[in-house]
Amino acid sequence: MCKWAADYIAAKIRAHREERPFVLGLPTGSSPIGVYRELVRQNRAGELSFANVVSFNMDEYLGLPREHEQSYWTFMHENFFDHLTDMKSENINILNGMTDDPEGECARYEEKIASYGGIDLFLGGIGVDGHIAFNEPYTSLTSRTGVRDLTTDTRIVNSRFFGGDPEAVPAQALSVGVGTVTDAREVLILINGHNKARALAATVEGGVSQKWTCSALQLHPNAIIACDEAACGELLVDTYRYFLDIERKERL
Ligand code: GLP
């Protein structure tokens, strides 16, 4: 899954011939780690340049300093940016979780994205409850970058990175909105593992609903889900066959 997604992203960056930079939206989480590894490999092998890439990360915990080992700033640098040979640090955008003006920080983020002409490709993952970035169930599907309260469920799931203590997980985050993600020209979402099977089914088979914020992808003209077999466990046989069928045709 990650190799496929990395090759897809790399091809898009290589094909970008315009003078303006290629604008890439990026997620954290375990799902994209393999994508980052492969993009780094291609970059270090001289096959892919990031010199003309500007990135915007999806989210950041509110109240965690950059240097905190669980900040998304640290995650992104350790898993990706520090290993790239030609990514310019001034082209890396990550919401500041220590801002004393969260609303202003979020408004400036939206403005900065717009100043580059919007996001070309937004890579993302989803939570087990279908959250996209930190847009928990019942977040408006038209939401923009802002402050988000994390649900107890998400804090429990993410407590694995905070010594198993849900209370140690920040209660709030800054996050791009569902609308910020779906405004991107292309959206590529990674969904893997049995624990995401319900969310994948809701994303592609359920109705468009704020209960599953990932379902907003159904309204996007250019959204791709890259998933593994385990995540397909709750799909109807019909759905599974349909997507296998179009995948085979694409390969021909
Ligand atoms: C966090 C992030 C999401 C991410 C999710 C899933 O909640 N805010 O952007 O999609 O985790 O993470 P994982 O890929 O580890 O399952």
Side-chain angles (χ1 to χ4, degrees), residues 28-32 58-59 72 125-127 131 133-134 154 158 160 196:
T28 55
S30 47
S31 313
M58 283 188 147
D59 43 19
Y72 286 170
I126 61 170
H131 70 231
F134 263 133
T154 293
N158 289 3
R160 67 191 192 279
K196 303 278 176 72

Side-chain angles (χ1 to χ4, degrees), residues 110 122 132 135 139-145 148 176-184 187 213 216 220:
E110 287 276 344
F122 222 131
I132 188 158
N135 296 291
T139 305
S140 163
L141 301 185
T142 62
S143 53
R144 311 304 308 185
T145 306
R148 299 288 188 273
V176 296
V178 181
T180 319
V181 176
T182 54
D183 270 0
V187 183
T213 54
H220 196 282

Side-chain angles (χ1 to χ4, degrees), residues 71-127:
S71 78
Y72 286 170
W73 193 95
T74 298
F75 176 96
M76 288 307 298
H77 284 79
E78 284 183 352
N79 287 289
F80 194 40
F81 298 133
D82 286 353
H83 308 284
L84 295 173
T85 58
D86 58 356
M87 180 82 193
K88 298 177 188 132
S89 57
E90 65 269 26
N91 284 350
I92 297 170
N93 296 283
I94 302 179
L95 286 153
N96 175 11
M98 291 303 282
T99 178
D100 48 18
D101 174 20
E103 301 297 341
E105 170 73 7
C106 294
R108 283 190 295 276
Y109 208 63
E110 287 276 344
E111 279 162 22
K112 198 161 182 194
I113 292 171
S115 77
Y116 283 106
I119 291 177
D120 289 297
L121 194 163
F122 222 131
L123 175 69
I126 61 170

Side-chain angles (χ1 to χ4, degrees), residues 123-250:
L123 175 69
I126 61 170
V128 289
D129 60 3
H131 70 231
I132 188 158
F134 263 133
N135 296 291
E136 300 280 34
Y138 310 106
T139 305
S140 163
L141 301 185
T142 62
S143 53
R144 311 304 308 185
T145 306
V147 180
R148 299 288 188 273
D149 294 326
L150 305 192
T151 61
T152 302
D153 284 347
T154 293
R155 293 176 79 198
I156 291 170
V157 171
N158 289 3
S159 67
R160 67 191 192 279
F161 302 115
F162 290 83
D165 177 12
E167 289 294 318
V169 181
Q172 290 185 309
L174 301 180
S175 173
V176 296
V178 181
T180 319
V181 176
T182 54
D183 270 0
R185 290 179 194 90
E186 265 191 283
V187 183
L188 170 53
I189 300 294
L190 308 167
I191 307 184
N192 64 301
H194 290 284
N195 61 339
K196 303 278 176 72
R198 232 179 117 220
L200 177 57
T203 307
V204 294
E205 289 175 348
V208 175
S209 158
Q210 59 186 355
K211 172 157 175 34
W212 293 92
T213 54
C214 50
S215 68
L217 295 177
Q218 291 179 26
L219 299 175
H220 196 282
N222 226 342
I224 300 175
I225 292 171
C227 59
D228 70 353
E229 283 283 329
C232 295
E234 297 283 333
L235 292 178
L236 295 170
V237 175
D238 226 20
T239 310
Y240 185 78
R241 281 205 193 118
Y242 168 78
F243 283 104
L244 272 191
D245 191 44
I246 58 171
E247 204 177 288
R248 278 199 202 104
K249 281 183 193 137
E250 267 166 25

Side-chain angles (χ1 to χ4, degrees), residues 15-32:
H16 184 79
R17 296 265 173 266
E18 296 168 42
E19 201 129 308
R20 67 168 189 93
F22 185 85
V23 187
L24 186 59
L26 294 173
T28 55
S30 47
S31 313

